[in-house]
């Protein structure tokens, strides 16, 4: 995953938005980070096979607590195979035996990807995009549904996720203040990797550039349609969406 956050003169303001969209770790990176955090390693031979079978059984039982249809429904409603779901669930269960992850744990995992800065604010906003019922925790189902969009979703699906990230209060529009919050969180997360260093004034200028370009009818807010149209017309953003594509 590309970690540097270039802000060189003459660059398109949309590059800032593009970097935001690229800041979600891949499924493989998440799996590795969870395993590392728990000190887990690969098991071999019969023990590994038995563990895998047991994990599948556990997944079926755990999912039943949330969705009676179980694992088959997750396969149907996401773009992951049963084997991929089993792999991710094993890591999820190791980190969160109760079957849910709270925001603080989510921030701890996320911080491993961006040790050079403070990822807590950005992780908070990402957490909210996964926490669909706003109960302060993410179930395995919520986690997988969101990850499926980011890792395997179509361009419109990924842009919908990005819009939801910017739309902090969920009212269906993006205000300049909301965009400032997200861009500020990105700068904090990238830390010393921002080249050249970005001060508060430069960040405000980037927000202004992106916002003015997306606010096509100049009514002071960005609608979902304006956001989608602006992103589709920018080749950098369209190309950048493909960087989410990943396999386990």
């Amino acid at each position: 995953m590309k970690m540097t956050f270039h802000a060189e003169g003459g660059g398109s303001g949309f590059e800032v938005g593009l970097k935001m969209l690229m800041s979600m770790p891949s499924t493989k990176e998440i799996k590795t980070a969870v395993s590392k955090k728990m000190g887990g390693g690969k098991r071999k031979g019969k023990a590994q096979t038995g563990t895998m079978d047991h994990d599948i059984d556990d997944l079926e039982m755990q999912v039943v607590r949330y969705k009676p249809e179980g694992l088959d429904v997750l396969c149907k409603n996401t773009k992951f195979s049963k084997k991929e779901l089993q792999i991710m669930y094993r890591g999820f269960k190791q980190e969160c035996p109760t079957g849910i992850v709270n925001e603080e744990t989510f921030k701890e995992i996320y911080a491993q990807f961006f040790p050079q800065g403070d990822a807590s604010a950005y992780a908070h906003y990402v957490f909210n995009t996964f926490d669909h019922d706003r109960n302060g925790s993410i179930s395995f189902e919520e986690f997988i549904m969101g990850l499926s969009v980011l890792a395997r979703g179509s361009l419109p699906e990924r842009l919908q996720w990005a819009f939801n990230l910017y739309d902090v209060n969920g009212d269906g529009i993006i205000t300049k203040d909301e965009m400032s919050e997200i861009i500020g969180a990105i700068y904090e997360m990238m830390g010393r990797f921002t080249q050249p260093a970005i001060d508060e004034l430069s960040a405000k200028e980037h927000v202004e550039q992106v916002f003015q370009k997306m606010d096509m009818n100049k009514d002071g807010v960005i609608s979902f349609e304006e956001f989608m149209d602006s992103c589709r017309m920018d080749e950098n953003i369209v190309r950048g969406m493909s960087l989410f594509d990943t396999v386990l």
Side-chain angles (χ1 to χ4, degrees):
M1 181 174 61
K2 197 171 184 179
M3 301 264 309
T4 54
F5 187 20
H6 296 291
E8 298 169 357
S12 167
F14 275 105
E15 291 178 6
V16 177
L18 177 60
K19 295 301 179 184
M20 292 183 216
L21 303 181
M22 293 168 60
S23 297
M24 184 67 194
S26 69
T27 51
K28 185 175 182 180
E29 290 173 314
I30 290 173
K31 172 177 172 285
T32 301
V34 170
S35 177
K36 181 178 179 182
K37 188 174 190 297
M38 297 304 299
K42 293 185 177 179
R43 298 179 177 88
K44 298 181 179 180
K46 294 182 179 180
Q48 182 181 15
T49 302
T51 301
M52 290 173 66
D53 292 340
H54 182 66
D55 282 336
I56 293 175
D57 293 339
D58 280 353
L59 177 55
E60 292 283 0
M61 295 176 63
Q62 185 73 17
V63 172
V64 166
R65 292 164 57 185
Y66 294 102
K67 297 182 179 179
E69 296 86 354
L71 180 59
D72 288 336
V73 171
L74 280 179
C75 288
K76 183 178 180 180
N77 292 336
T78 69
K79 296 178 172 62
F80 295 123
S81 67
K82 281 189 176 183
K83 182 177 181 180
E84 289 174 322
L85 288 169
Q86 175 229 318
I87 290 171
M88 287 186 285
Y89 183 71
R90 185 188 303 133
F92 193 91
K93 186 181 67 173
Q94 285 178 333
E95 179 64 35
C96 313
T98 61
I100 59 174
V101 57
N102 61 32
E103 185 170 337
E104 288 307 309
T105 301
F106 187 84
K107 288 179 178 179
E108 290 174 6
I109 295 173
Y110 213 95
Q112 296 180 48
F113 302 106
F114 302 96
Q116 74 284 349
D118 182 359
S120 59
Y122 186 75
H124 165 74
Y125 296 123
V126 173
F127 182 89
N128 285 341
T129 68
F130 282 87
D131 182 18
H132 296 295
D133 56 12
R134 292 293 191 268
N135 68 350
S137 62
I138 300 174
S139 67
F140 180 67
E141 289 80 4
E142 288 177 316
F143 177 72
I144 288 301
M145 294 295 286
L147 204 58
S148 177
V149 170
L150 289 172
R152 307 279 171 79
S154 64
L155 177 61
E157 288 172 334
R158 295 177 187 192
L159 291 177
Q160 174 72 72
W161 181 90
F163 181 86
N164 293 342
L165 177 67
Y166 294 148
D167 181 16
V168 176
N169 65 3
D171 63 355
I173 57 175
I174 300 172
T175 65
K176 191 176 294 185
D177 286 342
E178 287 175 321
M179 183 169 284
S180 296
E181 287 183 44
I182 300 298
I183 290 182
I186 291 293
Y187 286 142
E188 290 177 6
M189 179 174 65
M190 299 311 297
R192 61 185 175 83
F193 276 77
T194 306
Q195 299 176 359
I198 300 295
D199 55 27
E200 185 176 351
L201 179 60
S202 297
K204 289 181 178 179
E205 290 175 351
H206 278 294
V207 171
E208 191 67 29
Q209 289 175 354
V210 175
F211 197 87
Q212 290 303 320
K213 195 165 186 177
M214 288 188 168
D215 182 17
M216 296 178 175
N217 64 2
K218 307 304 178 187
D219 64 349
V221 297
I222 299 172
S223 68
F224 176 68
E225 292 75 17
E226 288 175 321
F227 182 86
M228 293 291 283
D229 290 343
S230 299
C231 291
R232 285 192 182 112
M233 289 187 296
D234 191 282
E235 293 182 1
N236 287 331
I237 291 181
V238 173
R239 189 164 52 249
M241 289 292 95
S242 67
L243 296 178
F244 278 125
D245 293 335
T246 185
V247 294
L248 292 173

